[in-house]
Amino acid sequence: MLKPNIHYRDLKDSYLFYHIAQKTKAYLEEHPGTRLYRMGIGDVSLPLCPAVIQALHEAVEDQGAKERFHGYMPECGADFLREAIAGYYGSRGVALSADEVFVSSGASDELGDLLDLFDRQSAALVLEPAYPAYVDANVMAGRRILHLAAGRENGFLPVPEEGLEADLIYLCSPNNPTGAVFTREMLRKWVDYANQRGAVILFDAAYEAFIQEPGLPHSIFEIPGARTCAIEICSLSKTAGFTGTRLGYTVIPKELERDGMSLHAMWVRNRTTKTNGVSYIIQKGGTAVFTPEGQEQIHRNIQVYKKNAQVLMDALDAAGVWYCGGKNAPYIWMQCPDGMGSWEFFDELLHKIQVVGTPGEGFGACGEGYFRFSTFGSPEDTKIAAERLLELLRGRS
Ligand code: MLT
């Protein structure tokens, strides 16, 4: 009889955001007609910007015109988008060749798919609290997972410790869920560690466009030595509102080799076998993000989310609650009041003020006692949620 992948037995019953959606749905079924203020999953509320919409329309027209119609797209991405992304890196001082950029249907899909490149006996290191898909994708693959705990004492930004034996290293900066951002010096420690050990860093840069403090690195490839030890995964979901449109990209330098094998060449082999590329229409829409007009428009949207962050931070300041994040990332990470557990606080917010957030425990055991708010809601909802939150927190003290 065929044996299933028994590693699924080691997973939690359901994925964090699915579980929250189920709990929220059950609440709405019990309280029909209730308005909820959703600040849980990091899903955008603003529509795609006009430059993208125009490019999407034009691409739809192309697909209806015999002379401009496109069939299969190149599996690793259309040259026009790969060149636009390489140009975006170039404008920030990071030199890439366009064929080092792989177009994907989104960072979360890619983070799982990339595991095909690595031996299942290798150990994956997750800095916790962490985006839960890093752990779950490796559990599914039966890979050994090492957890490096982060906390307030190290600003949620741990660096390699003596005796650490990691092969595959997940780094996310700006961090989901804490909003913390690695400095150049800290990233250099990880890059040096990975090069010395022969490990590979999977650098999740999905939130780079939210960095506002000058001098903080947006890409691992700003760090000397990263081209021989890192893969960068990025997404247009949060920067340009593509959560429902789906588009991302991955950078694999040609120098990146392990055991004499080029990870770049292996990924070309993987993509040409397992995908037929991302739709022409979506890639055209994505290319508009990298035009001067597109950049200006997406940054205007990002400012709206940053104002939301400020509204929430003001409420937490007024309540005297400890938090971090919100400045260089679209997430605020707060301490639950009165030593409450994070799921307990989730239930209290849902039932008493109809605000949905994400319990810290969902990001790993050391997230317990913390709670995450996404700042991607509408300004109207965020304002109401912040007022309700402040009133609830004041009522507890
Ligand atoms: C989050 O809320 O952590 C993210 O939106 C989830 C994701 O990007 O898949």
Side-chain angles (χ1 to χ4, degrees):
M1 200 202 330
L2 172 77
K3 274 199 181 160
N5 178 348
I6 54 162
H7 301 298
Y8 278 65
R9 291 201 181 119
D10 302 327
L11 291 165
K12 284 185 180 172
D13 278 351
S14 60
Y15 184 59
L16 174 63
F17 295 107
Y18 181 76
H19 186 60
I20 290 173
Q22 295 301 106
K23 275 182 88 93
T24 309
K25 186 165 166 256
Y27 176 83
L28 282 177
E29 277 163 10
E30 281 162 29
H31 305 84
T34 306
R35 178 152 169 50
L36 289 182
Y37 300 90
R38 294 178 189 269
M39 297 192 299
I41 192 164
D43 195 4
V44 293
S45 56
L46 289 169
L48 294 169
C49 68
V52 169
I53 292 297
Q54 190 188 331
L56 289 172
H57 278 299
E58 286 168 7
V60 169
E61 292 301 324
D62 288 348
Q63 290 299 70
K66 193 168 184 305
E67 59 290 354
R68 300 197 306 275
F69 169 78
H70 286 76
Y72 284 129
M73 295 301 290
E75 298 88 343
C76 300
D79 287 347
F80 57 79
L81 178 53
R82 300 176 90 182
E83 279 158 18
I85 295 168
Y88 173 66
Y89 275 79
S91 71
R92 292 181 295 151
V94 175
L96 298 179
S97 65
D99 63 354
E100 290 177 317
V101 177
F102 293 83
V103 174
S104 74
S105 55
S108 46
D109 321 21
E110 195 81 340
L111 279 158
D113 292 351
L114 278 167
L115 293 180
D116 271 5
L117 295 178
F118 306 104
D119 187 310
R120 291 189 178 206
Q121 300 306 315
S122 54
L125 175 73
V126 176
L127 279 49
E128 286 198 345
Y131 177 48
Y134 304 156
V135 172
D136 288 3
N138 280 289
V139 170
M140 286 174 188
R143 190 171 278 108
R144 193 158 56 88
I145 302 176
L146 310 173
H147 301 263
L148 185 59
R152 276 174 74 170
E153 67 292 345
N154 55 17
F156 292 99
L157 294 168
V159 287
E161 292 173 349
E162 205 47 48
L164 186 64
E165 297 194 339
D167 301 318
L168 201 55
I169 302 162
Y170 287 85
L171 299 182
C172 177
S173 179
N175 187 264
N176 177 12
T178 65
V181 189
F182 279 113
T183 62
R184 237 165 256 282
E185 206 31 59
M186 289 166 165
L187 280 187
R188 191 190 299 264
K189 288 190 177 147
W190 281 111
V191 165
D192 290 347
Y193 170 83
N195 275 324
Q196 274 155 20
R197 196 177 148 72
V200 170
I201 296 172
L202 294 179
F203 189 77
D204 182 349
Y207 302 98
E208 64 82 14
F210 289 80
I211 295 178
Q212 66 185 37
E213 276 176 60
L216 291 172
H218 288 237
S219 163
I220 188 86
F221 298 116
E222 292 176 40
I223 310 302
R227 288 184 61 86
T228 52
C229 69
I231 293 177
E232 182 156 297
I233 301 99
C234 203
S235 158
L236 296 194
S237 286
K238 319 298 161 113
T239 48
F242 274 62
T243 50
T245 309
R246 309 306 304 150
L247 192 61
Y249 54 89
T250 298
V251 177
I252 309 186
K254 293 199 184 129
E255 291 94 313
L256 182 56
E257 288 186 0
R258 288 294 174 265
D259 215 4
M261 294 176 82
S262 155
L263 295 189
H264 181 279
M266 286 166 70
W267 196 234
V268 173
R269 185 68 177 82
N270 182 296
R271 294 294 81 183
T272 49
T273 307
K274 291 198 170 181
T275 81
N276 276 322
V278 174
S279 123
Y280 167 74
I281 296 169
I282 304 300
Q283 293 196 65
K284 272 287 181 187
T287 304
V289 168
F290 299 97
T291 60
E293 197 188 10
Q295 284 292 299
E296 201 246 297
Q297 292 171 359
I298 63 158
H299 280 103
R300 234 182 285 149
N301 286 357
I302 287 173
Q303 288 315 312
V304 172
Y305 299 135
K306 284 190 172 287
K307 282 198 188 119
N308 285 345
Q310 195 56 57
V311 168
L312 282 162
M313 291 192 289
D314 287 347
L316 295 176
D317 283 336
V321 168
W322 184 91
Y323 66 89
C324 62
K327 287 201 170 63
N328 297 302
Y331 297 117
I332 292 172
W333 180 249
M334 66 169 275
Q335 183 137 42
C336 298
D338 307 324
M340 275 177 103
S342 60
W343 283 103
E344 193 190 352
F345 190 53
F346 173 90
D347 286 332
E348 173 153 325
L349 293 190
L350 179 60
H351 288 265
K352 291 201 176 146
I353 60 171
Q354 291 72 52
V355 168
V356 181
T358 308
E361 193 271 343
F363 300 98
C366 64
E368 182 52 313
Y370 293 93
F371 201 78
R372 193 196 76 172
F373 288 116
S374 147
T375 67
F376 286 114
S378 70
E380 299 75 25
D381 280 11
T382 305
K383 183 169 175 290
I384 296 171
E387 284 164 4
R388 290 181 171 210
L389 180 64
L390 177 57
E391 199 181 322
L392 177 124
L393 292 170
R394 278 196 171 139
R396 297 185 66 87
S397 56

